[in-house]
Amino acid sequence: MSHEISMTVDRSRFADAVTPWEDAAWRAAALGWSERELARHGLRESGPREVRVRPWSVIVRFRTGAGERDAVWFKASAPAAAFEAALGGALAEWVPEHVVTPLAVDAGQGWILLPEGGPLFRHVLDAGGAGAEDWTRALGQYARMQRALIPYADRLAALGVPRARTAALPILFDSLVEDNASLDPAARTAFREQRPRLLDWCAELDAYGVPDSLDHCDLHDAQVLAPAPGRFSFFDWGDALVAHPFASLLIPARAVRERHGAAYTHRLRDAYLDPWTGLGHSLPELRRAVALATRLAAIGRAASWFRLFPGTPTTGCAEASAYWMRELFAPAPVFWSP
């Protein structure tokens, strides 16, 4: 079938990315697997394929009907994020009400095939169909999902999702400082001098005893689907960690602050924390834990920029990683005040 269907390939600003898409044998195998799985579900292609090539993933959109939502998505992640396929299948089993159920998963290859899950939350926000209060509903749902996944933390790690325990963050910090080629000696020295502050933050956050769960690590409004009013699905888990759950609030808090203003971030924080109040902590204690966790979340963001296909130039990604390292010690925004 593949020779009958035209394709457009979008590389954005990553023309020099080295990915499996350039390998004809890999491309034929991936497209062939997708075609067979589409047929197994009784689906037929109805238009050109849209390919998105990035340093960290290859995505193909297959049209399966005349409507804009008649589509199926193939994704292959870079080796360091190849767990995403198995994770997608596991989440559909463990918390199906919060995610899109895959049509097919090849965990060995790191391939996943997903149905269209509804409009992006970002598009709904842009169109005026949702606002800041919908963010609070989405984050409350996300927190309930994280609480449900606490018993699965070890199984998540066994799937290949990297662990980032709070007590181990200084070790990850050290590797990010030493291995980032975009940092000059003065920058490395400045980061090393800040390390005692990092140790204090980690020790304080660890003392609250909030158990690890799944941290999306990049939960902005284009990583959330809004299939119906008040309903949300979370997807795109390639940056995920098994870590302190509250770290997930960093990216949505920034998004809400930019779109709706700083005042809404406090409401977002408390809506997110509401499902966590049964852990035995007071609300002020949970707010302080959020302040610490969302600051420390910058380390996970910095690490995620190196989950790339082998051979891809890392210059831009190394600079993005360094940005998040600087954010770790930046003056705290209003949201982080306990």
PDB file of all heavy atoms in Angstrom, residues 143-164:
ATOM      1  N   ALA A 143      -3.966  14.799  38.758  1.00  0.00           N
ATOM      2  CA  ALA A 143      -3.515  14.405  40.089  1.00  0.00           C
ATOM      3  C   ALA A 143      -4.158  13.093  40.528  1.00  0.00           C
ATOM      4  O   ALA A 143      -3.509  12.228  41.139  1.00  0.00           O
ATOM      5  CB  ALA A 143      -3.832  15.513  41.093  1.00  0.00           C
ATOM      6  N   ARG A 144      -5.444  12.912  40.221  1.00  0.00           N
ATOM      7  CA  ARG A 144      -6.108  11.649  40.575  1.00  0.00           C
ATOM      8  C   ARG A 144      -5.465  10.478  39.825  1.00  0.00           C
ATOM      9  O   ARG A 144      -5.328   9.374  40.380  1.00  0.00           O
ATOM     10  CB  ARG A 144      -7.604  11.740  40.279  1.00  0.00           C
ATOM     11  CG  ARG A 144      -8.351  12.708  41.203  1.00  0.00           C
ATOM     12  CD  ARG A 144      -9.856  12.598  41.058  1.00  0.00           C
ATOM     13  NE  ARG A 144     -10.330  13.031  39.749  1.00  0.00           N
ATOM     14  CZ  ARG A 144     -10.603  14.290  39.434  1.00  0.00           C
ATOM     15  NH1 ARG A 144     -10.427  15.260  40.334  1.00  0.00           N
ATOM     16  NH2 ARG A 144     -11.055  14.602  38.234  1.00  0.00           N
ATOM     17  N   MET A 145      -5.076  10.710  38.589  1.00  0.00           N
ATOM     18  CA  MET A 145      -4.389   9.667  37.840  1.00  0.00           C
ATOM     19  C   MET A 145      -3.053   9.329  38.503  1.00  0.00           C
ATOM     20  O   MET A 145      -2.701   8.151  38.668  1.00  0.00           O
ATOM     21  CB  MET A 145      -4.157  10.119  36.400  1.00  0.00           C
ATOM     22  CG  MET A 145      -3.438   9.086  35.542  1.00  0.00           C
ATOM     23  SD  MET A 145      -2.908   9.714  33.927  1.00  0.00           S
ATOM     24  CE  MET A 145      -1.578  10.803  34.433  1.00  0.00           C
ATOM     25  N   GLN A 146      -2.292  10.353  38.896  1.00  0.00           N
ATOM     26  CA  GLN A 146      -1.010  10.099  39.550  1.00  0.00           C
ATOM     27  C   GLN A 146      -1.181   9.311  40.851  1.00  0.00           C
ATOM     28  O   GLN A 146      -0.400   8.390  41.123  1.00  0.00           O
ATOM     29  CB  GLN A 146      -0.312  11.423  39.854  1.00  0.00           C
ATOM     30  CG  GLN A 146       0.275  12.118  38.637  1.00  0.00           C
ATOM     31  CD  GLN A 146       1.027  13.363  39.051  1.00  0.00           C
ATOM     32  OE1 GLN A 146       0.451  14.272  39.653  1.00  0.00           O
ATOM     33  NE2 GLN A 146       2.311  13.413  38.759  1.00  0.00           N
ATOM     34  N   ARG A 147      -2.200   9.646  41.636  1.00  0.00           N
ATOM     35  CA  ARG A 147      -2.423   8.898  42.870  1.00  0.00           C
ATOM     36  C   ARG A 147      -2.753   7.439  42.566  1.00  0.00           C
ATOM     37  O   ARG A 147      -2.290   6.533  43.260  1.00  0.00           O
ATOM     38  CB  ARG A 147      -3.551   9.542  43.688  1.00  0.00           C
ATOM     39  CG  ARG A 147      -3.136  10.828  44.395  1.00  0.00           C
ATOM     40  CD  ARG A 147      -3.858  11.000  45.719  1.00  0.00           C
ATOM     41  NE  ARG A 147      -3.564   9.933  46.677  1.00  0.00           N
ATOM     42  CZ  ARG A 147      -4.022   9.900  47.929  1.00  0.00           C
ATOM     43  NH1 ARG A 147      -4.797  10.891  48.360  1.00  0.00           N
ATOM     44  NH2 ARG A 147      -3.726   8.919  48.736  1.00  0.00           N
ATOM     45  N   ALA A 148      -3.531   7.208  41.516  1.00  0.00           N
ATOM     46  CA  ALA A 148      -3.867   5.834  41.146  1.00  0.00           C
ATOM     47  C   ALA A 148      -2.638   5.059  40.686  1.00  0.00           C
ATOM     48  O   ALA A 148      -2.607   3.822  40.788  1.00  0.00           O
ATOM     49  CB  ALA A 148      -4.926   5.844  40.039  1.00  0.00           C
ATOM     50  N   LEU A 149      -1.619   5.757  40.205  1.00  0.00           N
ATOM     51  CA  LEU A 149      -0.429   5.087  39.669  1.00  0.00           C
ATOM     52  C   LEU A 149       0.657   4.865  40.716  1.00  0.00           C
ATOM     53  O   LEU A 149       1.658   4.191  40.432  1.00  0.00           O
ATOM     54  CB  LEU A 149       0.154   5.905  38.505  1.00  0.00           C
ATOM     55  CG  LEU A 149      -0.648   5.866  37.203  1.00  0.00           C
ATOM     56  CD1 LEU A 149      -0.103   6.877  36.203  1.00  0.00           C
ATOM     57  CD2 LEU A 149      -0.652   4.463  36.597  1.00  0.00           C
ATOM     58  N   ILE A 150       0.495   5.372  41.917  1.00  0.00           N
ATOM     59  CA  ILE A 150       1.521   5.182  42.945  1.00  0.00           C
ATOM     60  C   ILE A 150       1.859   3.701  43.164  1.00  0.00           C
ATOM     61  O   ILE A 150       3.040   3.340  43.230  1.00  0.00           O
ATOM     62  CB  ILE A 150       1.091   5.862  44.266  1.00  0.00           C
ATOM     63  CG1 ILE A 150       1.226   7.383  44.134  1.00  0.00           C
ATOM     64  CG2 ILE A 150       1.928   5.357  45.439  1.00  0.00           C
ATOM     65  CD1 ILE A 150       0.669   8.159  45.304  1.00  0.00           C
ATOM     66  N   PRO A 151       0.875   2.799  43.244  1.00  0.00           N
ATOM     67  CA  PRO A 151       1.232   1.386  43.437  1.00  0.00           C
ATOM     68  C   PRO A 151       1.994   0.780  42.262  1.00  0.00           C
ATOM     69  O   PRO A 151       2.550  -0.320  42.389  1.00  0.00           O
ATOM     70  CB  PRO A 151      -0.134   0.697  43.613  1.00  0.00           C
ATOM     71  CG  PRO A 151      -1.084   1.785  43.980  1.00  0.00           C
ATOM     72  CD  PRO A 151      -0.591   3.004  43.282  1.00  0.00           C
ATOM     73  N   TYR A 152       2.015   1.456  41.126  1.00  0.00           N
ATOM     74  CA  TYR A 152       2.663   0.926  39.930  1.00  0.00           C
ATOM     75  C   TYR A 152       4.049   1.524  39.703  1.00  0.00           C
ATOM     76  O   TYR A 152       4.644   1.307  38.634  1.00  0.00           O
ATOM     77  CB  TYR A 152       1.797   1.204  38.693  1.00  0.00           C
ATOM     78  CG  TYR A 152       0.440   0.545  38.719  1.00  0.00           C
ATOM     79  CD1 TYR A 152      -0.682   1.224  39.184  1.00  0.00           C
ATOM     80  CD2 TYR A 152       0.275  -0.768  38.276  1.00  0.00           C
ATOM     81  CE1 TYR A 152      -1.932   0.624  39.211  1.00  0.00           C
ATOM     82  CE2 TYR A 152      -0.972  -1.383  38.298  1.00  0.00           C
ATOM     83  CZ  TYR A 152      -2.067  -0.679  38.766  1.00  0.00           C
ATOM     84  OH  TYR A 152      -3.309  -1.277  38.785  1.00  0.00           O
ATOM     85  N   ALA A 153       4.593   2.272  40.664  1.00  0.00           N
ATOM     86  CA  ALA A 153       5.849   2.980  40.434  1.00  0.00           C
ATOM     87  C   ALA A 153       6.976   2.033  40.010  1.00  0.00           C
ATOM     88  O   ALA A 153       7.715   2.320  39.063  1.00  0.00           O
ATOM     89  CB  ALA A 153       6.252   3.760  41.684  1.00  0.00           C
ATOM     90  N   ASP A 154       7.110   0.904  40.684  1.00  0.00           N
ATOM     91  CA  ASP A 154       8.168  -0.036  40.315  1.00  0.00           C
ATOM     92  C   ASP A 154       7.917  -0.646  38.944  1.00  0.00           C
ATOM     93  O   ASP A 154       8.858  -0.870  38.168  1.00  0.00           O
ATOM     94  CB  ASP A 154       8.302  -1.142  41.362  1.00  0.00           C
ATOM     95  CG  ASP A 154       8.886  -0.630  42.673  1.00  0.00           C
ATOM     96  OD1 ASP A 154       9.542   0.433  42.660  1.00  0.00           O
ATOM     97  OD2 ASP A 154       8.672  -1.291  43.704  1.00  0.00           O
ATOM     98  N   ARG A 155       6.666  -0.893  38.624  1.00  0.00           N
ATOM     99  CA  ARG A 155       6.351  -1.456  37.313  1.00  0.00           C
ATOM    100  C   ARG A 155       6.580  -0.432  36.212  1.00  0.00           C
ATOM    101  O   ARG A 155       6.985  -0.776  35.094  1.00  0.00           O
ATOM    102  CB  ARG A 155       4.914  -1.977  37.302  1.00  0.00           C
ATOM    103  CG  ARG A 155       4.714  -3.173  38.240  1.00  0.00           C
ATOM    104  CD  ARG A 155       3.259  -3.568  38.369  1.00  0.00           C
ATOM    105  NE  ARG A 155       2.731  -4.165  37.151  1.00  0.00           N
ATOM    106  CZ  ARG A 155       1.499  -4.647  37.026  1.00  0.00           C
ATOM    107  NH1 ARG A 155       0.661  -4.577  38.073  1.00  0.00           N
ATOM    108  NH2 ARG A 155       1.078  -5.180  35.906  1.00  0.00           N
ATOM    109  N   LEU A 156       6.338   0.829  36.493  1.00  0.00           N
ATOM    110  CA  LEU A 156       6.653   1.882  35.531  1.00  0.00           C
ATOM    111  C   LEU A 156       8.149   1.900  35.244  1.00  0.00           C
ATOM    112  O   LEU A 156       8.580   1.985  34.084  1.00  0.00           O
ATOM    113  CB  LEU A 156       6.204   3.242  36.071  1.00  0.00           C
ATOM    114  CG  LEU A 156       4.702   3.492  36.119  1.00  0.00           C
ATOM    115  CD1 LEU A 156       4.383   4.699  36.995  1.00  0.00           C
ATOM    116  CD2 LEU A 156       4.143   3.711  34.711  1.00  0.00           C
ATOM    117  N   ALA A 157       8.951   1.814  36.296  1.00  0.00           N
ATOM    118  CA  ALA A 157      10.404   1.799  36.108  1.00  0.00           C
ATOM    119  C   ALA A 157      10.848   0.560  35.337  1.00  0.00           C
ATOM    120  O   ALA A 157      11.762   0.619  34.505  1.00  0.00           O
ATOM    121  CB  ALA A 157      11.102   1.870  37.461  1.00  0.00           C
ATOM    122  N   ALA A 158      10.182  -0.572  35.586  1.00  0.00           N
ATOM    123  CA  ALA A 158      10.536  -1.802  34.872  1.00  0.00           C
ATOM    124  C   ALA A 158      10.236  -1.700  33.379  1.00  0.00           C
ATOM    125  O   ALA A 158      10.857  -2.397  32.559  1.00  0.00           O
ATOM    126  CB  ALA A 158       9.789  -2.984  35.489  1.00  0.00           C
ATOM    127  N   LEU A 159       9.295  -0.831  33.005  1.00  0.00           N
ATOM    128  CA  LEU A 159       9.009  -0.608  31.590  1.00  0.00           C
ATOM    129  C   LEU A 159      10.098   0.219  30.912  1.00  0.00           C
ATOM    130  O   LEU A 159      10.109   0.343  29.682  1.00  0.00           O
ATOM    131  CB  LEU A 159       7.667   0.112  31.432  1.00  0.00           C
ATOM    132  CG  LEU A 159       6.410  -0.665  31.816  1.00  0.00           C
ATOM    133  CD1 LEU A 159       5.185   0.243  31.736  1.00  0.00           C
ATOM    134  CD2 LEU A 159       6.217  -1.880  30.914  1.00  0.00           C
ATOM    135  N   GLY A 160      10.979   0.801  31.707  1.00  0.00           N
ATOM    136  CA  GLY A 160      12.046   1.629  31.154  1.00  0.00           C
ATOM    137  C   GLY A 160      11.901   3.108  31.426  1.00  0.00           C
ATOM    138  O   GLY A 160      12.753   3.900  31.016  1.00  0.00           O
ATOM    139  N   VAL A 161      10.821   3.509  32.106  1.00  0.00           N
ATOM    140  CA  VAL A 161      10.666   4.925  32.447  1.00  0.00           C
ATOM    141  C   VAL A 161      11.770   5.290  33.442  1.00  0.00           C
ATOM    142  O   VAL A 161      11.891   4.656  34.491  1.00  0.00           O
ATOM    143  CB  VAL A 161       9.275   5.208  33.059  1.00  0.00           C
ATOM    144  CG1 VAL A 161       9.122   6.701  33.332  1.00  0.00           C
ATOM    145  CG2 VAL A 161       8.171   4.707  32.140  1.00  0.00           C
ATOM    146  N   PRO A 162      12.595   6.290  33.141  1.00  0.00           N
ATOM    147  CA  PRO A 162      13.710   6.615  34.040  1.00  0.00           C
ATOM    148  C   PRO A 162      13.235   7.034  35.420  1.00  0.00           C
ATOM    149  O   PRO A 162      12.239   7.736  35.560  1.00  0.00           O
ATOM    150  CB  PRO A 162      14.405   7.783  33.329  1.00  0.00           C
ATOM    151  CG  PRO A 162      14.018   7.653  31.897  1.00  0.00           C
ATOM    152  CD  PRO A 162      12.614   7.096  31.915  1.00  0.00           C
ATOM    153  N   ARG A 163      13.973   6.609  36.432  1.00  0.00           N
ATOM    154  CA  ARG A 163      13.672   7.015  37.801  1.00  0.00           C
ATOM    155  C   ARG A 163      14.461   8.273  38.121  1.00  0.00           C
ATOM    156  O   ARG A 163      15.623   8.416  37.743  1.00  0.00           O
ATOM    157  CB  ARG A 163      14.037   5.923  38.803  1.00  0.00           C
ATOM    158  CG  ARG A 163      13.192   4.673  38.687  1.00  0.00           C
ATOM    159  CD  ARG A 163      13.163   3.904  40.001  1.00  0.00           C
ATOM    160  NE  ARG A 163      12.085   4.374  40.849  1.00  0.00           N
ATOM    161  CZ  ARG A 163      11.199   3.579  41.460  1.00  0.00           C
ATOM    162  NH1 ARG A 163      11.272   2.270  41.329  1.00  0.00           N
ATOM    163  NH2 ARG A 163      10.252   4.084  42.219  1.00  0.00           N
ATOM    164  N   ALA A 164      13.819   9.173  38.833  1.00  0.00           N
ATOM    165  CA  ALA A 164      14.476  10.402  39.283  1.00  0.00           C
ATOM    166  C   ALA A 164      14.042  10.673  40.712  1.00  0.00           C
ATOM    167  O   ALA A 164      13.356  11.651  41.012  1.00  0.00           O
ATOM    168  CB  ALA A 164      14.129  11.571  38.369  1.00  0.00           C
TER     169      ALA A 164
END
